[in-house]
Amino acid sequence: MSMERLYLEPTLTTPKVIFDRDSGEFTIQGKSLPEDVKSFYAPLIAWLDDYAKNPNKISIFEFDFEYFNTASSKMILILMNRIKELFKKGNEVQIVWKFPQHDAELEEAGEELAELISVPFKLVPKPEM
């Protein structure tokens, strides 16, 4: 039973999203400041709820933001809480938080989320382009 892959092209205000159970790729990448943050993130949350019914043995979720606004941060937390539920059910999960090397704000956001979520969490500084 294969799940629909969720793929969203990045825009100026929304990140690229790839949730693909078959390939095991779970990535959110780019900028997140959508006008309607709930309607942007609702399908991602719904997808994760669906995925949780029959997840892969190992799920690595990669968050790679250049920027996100306050409204988005609430949605990111909701997504991570869904990942935490997977973890609590005994699934192997990891969150990878990539951030631009010299971006203290994004680094701190990752550290705060890591503390809140308490699942295996890796902070990865990205080299400057």
Side-chain angles (χ1 to χ4, degrees):
M1 185 198 103
S2 116
M3 263 180 81
E4 268 312 291
R5 169 176 186 256
L6 178 68
Y7 178 78
L8 301 172
E9 283 282 351
T11 70
L12 291 172
T13 56
T14 60
K16 176 168 98 173
V17 178
I18 302 169
F19 284 177
D20 188 342
R21 186 177 157 208
D22 298 338
S23 74
E25 184 177 0
F26 309 99
T27 306
I28 304 177
Q29 183 180 39
K31 294 188 175 87
S32 181
L33 49 155
E35 262 174 58
D36 184 349
V37 68
K38 282 200 173 82
S39 70
F40 178 80
Y41 280 95
L44 280 68
I45 294 163
W47 193 96
L48 281 176
D49 285 342
D50 207 25
Y51 176 71
K53 295 170 193 160
N54 188 11
N56 294 346
K57 276 196 171 39
I58 301 172
S59 310
I60 298 173
F61 293 89
E62 191 174 288
F63 293 82
D64 183 358
F65 287 105
E66 286 165 49
Y67 172 81
F68 57 85
N69 61 6
T70 313
S72 296
S73 69
K74 295 189 178 93
M75 303 315 275
I76 293 164
L77 187 58
I78 291 171
L79 288 176
M80 288 194 178
N81 273 312
R82 293 301 203 272
I83 296 167
K84 182 181 183 170
E85 289 305 310
L86 274 177
F87 182 65
K88 280 169 42 182
K89 287 182 188 153
N91 299 291
E92 204 177 316
V93 303
Q94 183 177 41
I95 293 173
V96 177
W97 182 268
K98 294 187 168 178
F99 60 92
Q101 209 165 3
H102 299 297
D103 193 324
E105 256 179 76
L106 275 172
E107 183 174 5
E108 275 166 31
E111 285 166 0
E112 281 170 25
L113 286 161
E115 278 173 35
L116 283 169
I117 295 299
S118 58
V119 308
F121 203 106
K122 200 159 93 181
L123 289 146
V124 181
K126 294 188 302 187
E128 299 293 311
M129 288 316 212

